[in-house]
Amino acid sequence: MTPDYPLLARQLEALLDTPDWLTNSAQTCAFLMQELPDLNWVGFYLQRQPEMLSLGPFQGKPACHPIPFTKGVCGAAARTRETQRVADVHAVADHIACDADSRAELVVPIVVNDRLWGVLDLDSPRQDRFSDADQAGIERLVAVFIEKTALPK
Ligand code: SME
């Protein structure tokens, strides 16, 4: 069953009651890990130097760092600025395996004032975990994060 994303968006809006990006990104990935079923990893990668993603706040096992824009599903999201949805990571040659449990992946780019600030990455142990509705719902939650957070311009 698809989670109630409108309700989750209202809850996340209430949770993010400071503009601080560090607090809000930590809260957001903890919230998603608690509220969404069948996830083994949720976290932010941040562009802190050109064309390179640095590991930010996350929930799950220790993960890969750094990830260049040229590599992996996260790199593709950063490069194209389009959400990447992978039903089975084993079928993607370019996938970077951090946690062997990961099977499906959704990566949403976070763009502020035409600059790629970072990406939000969600991994699931269940193949085909993310539906169209999940993608739209999670993109809405990322929009809440952007609205509620003072991200560097
Ligand atoms: N699988 C990602 C790397 C990040 S981990 O999943 C946390 C990728 O291919 O970019």
Side-chain angles (χ1 to χ4, degrees):
M1 206 180 76
T2 303
D4 185 343
Y5 283 108
L7 174 63
L8 292 174
R10 291 197 298 279
Q11 290 173 332
L12 185 61
E13 273 176 24
L15 181 64
L16 303 184
D17 61 356
T18 162
D20 187 273
W21 70 266
L22 179 56
T23 306
N24 284 357
S25 54
Q27 292 278 47
T28 298
C29 53
F31 177 76
L32 294 176
M33 195 61 142
Q34 290 296 315
E35 297 299 328
L36 299 180
D38 298 333
L39 300 180
N40 58 305
W41 200 91
V42 181
F44 289 83
Y45 279 94
L46 315 181
Q47 182 178 205
R48 307 186 82 197
Q49 49 182 303
E51 312 273 295
M52 193 66 85
L53 294 168
S54 295
L55 183 59
F58 68 95
Q59 300 262 310
K61 289 185 183 166
C64 314
H65 163 88
I67 298 178
F69 276 29
T70 49
K71 291 226 173 98
V73 183
C74 290
R79 213 165 53 235
T80 62
R81 300 185 172 193
E82 284 177 8
T83 298
Q84 304 293 305
R85 178 153 54 111
V86 177
D88 182 358
V89 297
H90 295 169
V92 176
D94 194 28
H95 169 255
I96 303 167
C98 300
D99 180 344
D101 288 341
S102 297
R103 200 69 201 277
E105 182 159 15
L106 185 80
V107 187
V108 181
I110 300 172
V111 178
V112 183
N113 287 342
D114 205 32
R115 180 182 175 273
L116 190 287
W117 179 77
V119 302
L120 178 68
D121 180 19
L122 297 92
D123 286 9
S124 171
R126 182 155 65 79
Q127 189 174 335
D128 217 4
R129 158 70 180 80
F130 302 105
S131 65
D132 284 344
D134 289 306
Q135 178 174 338
I138 291 164
E139 286 174 342
R140 173 70 193 121
L141 296 175
V142 169
V144 169
F145 170 78
I146 293 170
E147 282 160 24
K148 299 287 290 188
T149 306
L151 293 171
K153 302 266 188 294

